Amino acid sequence: MKTKKFSALIFMLMFFLFVSGCGEDTAKKIQNTIKIGMITQLNATPEEMDEIMEVMGVDTSTTYFENFTSMQMALKAKNIEEMQTYKSVANYMTAQNSQFEVKQEQTVSLIDAFCCAIREEDTDLKNSFDSAIASMKNDGTLDTLIKKYITELNSEPPAVKIEKIDGADTIKVGITGDLPPLDLVLADGTPAGFNTAVLSEISKRINKNIELIQIDSAARAAALTSKKVDVVFWVVVPQDDKRPADMDKPAGIAVTTPYYQDEVVDVTLSQTFSAMN
């Protein structure tokens, strides 16, 4: 009897230690999970993004936001710990607002190429965009626009007019207007900066008028497939070997040759602002 009681006590003790250990591991996992904010992807879900990050050895809990402003507000409210965006966007953002700073040690090193999205059946339209982008690269126009509207930008991106071409067909292009300085619509509703400069040049080269339609990031794929727009100005394609190249590409959608490439960076609250709040 004493042996049975002793064995039972040993079993209960081992069970308790096991459960306690599991509890500690779970607590550590929860504690180490990084709460990240991202702009809504074209196709990949937050759960899929977390799985991709986990494969890279990073434990994240991703929250999607339909626009850049709401994501910044969530960071200020500390509903997320950091937000992932592009280096050019982060530089512009932190220059405009000292409450934010680029994280010194990045969670993971990622690079995305920016392309336009077009329905797969619109092959002629895609080919014309590809040709225009290629010619802009070859003659240096694209480098000039990147320098003027991104890398050497010292103030709010200026408005850029897209000239009308008499008698030409019109293409509807979806822009978010919410990712400065890459994609921006000013407070008065005027498209400005890099997006309009690139599209203005493409319009001249393909001899078609371009009408800009502002849409939320979350609505980009639906706007394209429903034919509300013919083109989405920006979608991103991973250029690193850590993520599948087609991880965010919906069925039936093709992407053009890239017109810009940027590094993904993490933005956090500045230490001064965080301490004050």
Side-chain angles (χ1 to χ4, degrees):
M1 289 294 292
K2 289 182 180 180
T3 303
K4 289 183 178 180
K5 286 182 180 181
F6 180 74
S7 299
L9 286 171
I10 292 296
F11 174 78
M12 289 176 67
L13 179 61
M14 292 177 64
F15 179 77
F16 174 77
L17 291 172
F18 174 77
V19 171
S20 298
C22 288
E24 288 177 5
D25 289 343
T26 302
K28 286 179 182 178
K29 180 177 176 61
I30 293 172
Q31 188 177 8
N32 294 333
T33 299
I34 304 171
K35 295 180 180 178
I36 289 181
M38 295 182 185
I39 292 294
T40 303
Q41 302 291 298
L42 204 67
N43 192 51
T45 66
E47 293 76 19
E48 289 170 333
M49 292 303 297
D50 287 339
E51 289 176 4
I52 290 169
M53 295 292 281
E54 187 175 359
V55 170
M56 291 185 278
V58 183
D59 185 17
T60 58
S61 174
T62 301
T63 300
Y64 277 171
F65 294 88
E66 291 193 5
N67 57 67
F68 199 66
T69 301
S70 62
M71 184 163 62
Q72 291 181 77
M73 290 173 63
L75 182 57
K76 288 169 67 174
K78 300 184 179 180
N79 295 327
I80 55 176
E81 298 171 72
E82 55 191 61
M83 51 185 277
Q84 279 195 347
T85 188
Y86 295 97
K87 190 172 184 178
S88 58
V89 179
N91 290 341
Y92 180 85
M93 172 187 174
T94 54
Q96 300 293 315
N97 194 331
S98 61
Q99 296 175 346
F100 305 112
E101 64 183 19
V102 177
K103 189 177 176 182
Q104 292 300 311
E105 293 185 9
Q106 295 300 305
T107 302
V108 64
S109 177
L110 302 173
I111 298 174
D112 282 340
F114 283 70
C115 311
C116 293
I118 299 173
R119 292 182 292 274
E120 281 186 347
E121 66 265 25
D122 294 337
T123 53
D124 289 344
L125 181 59
K126 180 183 179 302
N127 291 339
S128 66
F129 264 66
D130 283 340
S131 296
I133 294 168
S135 66
M136 289 166 67
K137 286 181 179 179
N138 292 336
D139 65 18
T141 299
L142 202 49
D143 286 338
T144 299
L145 295 181
I146 290 171
K147 184 181 293 185
K148 180 178 180 179
Y149 293 104
I150 299 176
T151 57
E152 295 184 359
L153 184 70
N154 296 316
S155 60
E156 183 177 70
V160 179
K161 186 176 181 180
I162 301 179
E163 300 291 343
K164 292 292 183 183
I165 303 171
D166 291 339
D169 293 335
T170 298
I171 298 167
K172 294 181 179 180
V173 178
I175 59 172
T176 68
D178 192 47
L179 198 69
L182 302 177
D183 182 0
L184 177 64
V185 172
L186 300 176
D188 64 359
T190 305
F194 184 65
N195 53 340
T196 42
V198 170
L199 290 169
S200 176
E201 188 64 33
I202 289 176
S203 172
K204 298 171 188 174
R205 298 190 185 219
I206 67 175
N207 195 38
K208 292 186 185 296
N209 289 312
I210 286 181
E211 177 185 354
L212 301 181
I213 308 293
Q214 190 171 2
I215 52 178
D216 282 338
S217 294
R220 286 175 296 159
L224 188 57
T225 55
S226 67
K227 300 189 177 181
K228 179 180 179 180
V229 299
D230 304 302
V231 178
V232 168
F233 173 65
W234 72 268
V235 297
V236 291
V237 178
Q239 298 298 292
D240 49 75
D241 58 1
K242 302 178 180 71
R243 300 166 295 166
D246 61 350
M247 71 171 207
D248 195 39
K249 191 170 81 68
I253 290 179
V255 295
T256 65
T257 186
Y259 54 79
Y260 181 65
Q261 184 169 292
D262 207 346
E263 178 185 352
V264 178
V265 298
D266 305 311
V267 175
T268 61
L269 290 177
S270 66
Q271 292 183 3
T272 302
F273 180 79
S274 186
M276 291 171 58
N277 293 269

